[in-house]
Amino acid sequence: MSGLDLYTVGRLLGHADTAATERYAHLADEHIREAAGQITAIVGDAMSGGRKGEADHGA
């Protein structure tokens, strides 16, 4: 949730694969809600045929 991907964190912790890191990674509910909101906006933009907000969503 700090912005680091699981691969990087796993390598720093010495995990052989991301599956080991995933066992210990827990996402807070608020983080999940924010991600869901971002995905909703991206899908909504795509379904409406618009390309607005791509820079905001990192797409």
Side-chain angles (χ1 to χ4, degrees), residues 13-57:
L13 295 174
H15 294 164
D17 59 35
T18 56
T21 311
E22 288 173 355
R23 282 193 292 263
Y24 301 104
H26 304 286
L27 298 176
D29 289 342
E30 182 58 29
H31 186 74
I32 297 294
R33 280 191 287 276
E34 289 174 14
Q38 291 175 359
I39 296 298
T40 300
I42 292 168
V43 171
D45 288 348
M47 291 180 69
S48 69
R51 296 177 60 89
K52 64 181 178 178
E54 283 186 351
D56 296 337
H57 302 301

